[in-house]
Amino acid sequence: MKTISVLGSTGSIGKQTLEVVQASRGKLKIYALAAYSNVDLIEEQIRNVRPKMAVLMEEEAAVELKNRLKDQTVKILSGMEGLIEASAAEEVQMVVTAVSGSIGLQPTLAALQAGKDIALANKETLVAAGELVMKTAGDRGCSVIPVDSEHSAIFQCIGGNRDKVKKIILTASGGPFFGWNKEKLSCVTPAMALKHPKWSMGAKISIDSATMMNKALEIIEAKFLFQTDYKKIEVLVHPQSIIHSMLELTDGSVIAQLGMPDMRLPIQYALSYPERWESCFETLSLAGKTLTFHEPDHEVFPSIGLGYHCGGRGGTLPAVMNAANEICVHAFLAGRIQYLEMFELVERTCQEHKVLDSGSLDRILAADNWARQFAEELILRKEQDP
Ligand code: NDP
Ligand code: MG
């Protein structure tokens, strides 16, 4: 039996993780659940799952949860200290990082420092601090197992071929605006951008998919997970989302992982690895299906190019790109900026950043913070003078 903590249990990945735990019939046990402020859902989850600990990041929400759960023995904590305690507790073997955004960085590092393996959904953490996270994992002998479907696919294909990889081909659905031009994109609303054609996901990653920033983040995530060079990572648009990614080996052989677009499979694999467990998810039937592939349109969706640029430059720049993007996505969702302005403002924040070596957590947090403030100022200026 494996004991896990789930950070972000009330989100899309978190809820599916709890389904996988339930279906595991005792192979997985939950020690802690953590979320931001969703008292109703985490209360329900606690009553079902009966974890030893629960964390709500927001203090007031945690107080409300404590009041509601007076009949339970669960320990309830709040804030970053709470997230860290849930990640580093002695009983925990693996932490599922499924919070959204670089807020996941400190609990992930704390988990690794305490010797826990990570099932990583929270790609923003690896974008912000890939070097530090992977070095900490290496030093402590911990595994970082991908949950992201593309990276899970590569992880499943790579086997004993690590030194024979010629290319990592990350597939991309293309999002809801695949094939659109800039003129059409100028009229995109948050509701339109939230409607992903293939995956049902949280708001932030849905917007990232609609701008292809998700793929920019995933290029950087792949670089660190598989310790490869950006030159070896390619993106291929595959609207059906059946092939979750591919690996080209030095002899020209291409290995792919296929499956239904259902995150429960990569979640379960990250939790069961190195075993494979039976599942009751819908399986793939290829008869009658057409799979298509296209080059990404870098002119209409400049995010992928920005991802290569920031990743290639390295240091604190990927953390800045990620943080500026988080701010812009939230501003777009709140109706404060237009869809196309997200590209412009993230890029401007990256251009203005004085890149530093990303060796320490303090440096990364300072760069992340700087980018948030800078992007927010740009948004305020836009609001004042549209
Ligand atoms: P959701 O928005 O659905 O859920 C986010 C979760 O994180 C919620 O539990 C939320 O709590 C919690 N949370 C948000 N902010 C904080 C915070 N500051 N402190 C503590 N908890 C917080 O996101 P997804 O599940 O879609 O995505 C989670 C991560 O997984 C992201 O990094 C995403 O990129 C990645 N991912 C997601 C995929 C998907 O299919 N959804 C696929 C691949 C990767 P509350 O509900 O209380 O707000
Ligand atoms: Mg993905």
Side-chain angles (χ1 to χ4, degrees), residues 176-188:
F177 309 128
F178 169 62
W180 286 37
N181 60 25
K182 279 204 176 146
E183 198 191 329
K184 263 179 102 181
L185 287 174
S186 64
C187 305
V188 161

Side-chain angles (χ1 to χ4, degrees), residues 123 148-151 205 214-215 218:
K123 64 191 88 183
D148 212 351
S149 57
E150 297 78 359
H151 305 73
I205 185 174
N214 185 45
K215 221 39 64 176
E218 289 185 355

Side-chain angles (χ1 to χ4, degrees), residues 327-347:
I327 293 296
C328 288
V329 168
H330 289 117
F332 170 66
L333 283 169
R336 296 176 63 201
I337 57 172
Q338 302 292 314
Y339 171 90
L340 287 173
E341 287 173 333
M342 287 190 278
F343 298 112
E344 177 197 329
L345 301 188
V346 173
E347 196 177 331

Side-chain angles (χ1 to χ4, degrees), residues 183-209:
E183 198 191 329
K184 263 179 102 181
L185 287 174
S186 64
C187 305
V188 161
T189 63
M192 289 157 79
L194 284 169
K195 263 203 197 128
H196 195 278
K198 287 287 166 202
W199 301 92
S200 161
M201 308 181 287
K204 197 267 176 177
I205 185 174
S206 296
I207 302 304
D208 285 345
S209 300

Side-chain angles (χ1 to χ4, degrees), residues 8 65 105 171 180 184 292-293 314 330 384 386:
L65 185 65
L105 173 55
T171 51
W180 286 37
K184 263 179 102 181
T292 57
F293 305 93
H330 289 117
Q384 283 156 9

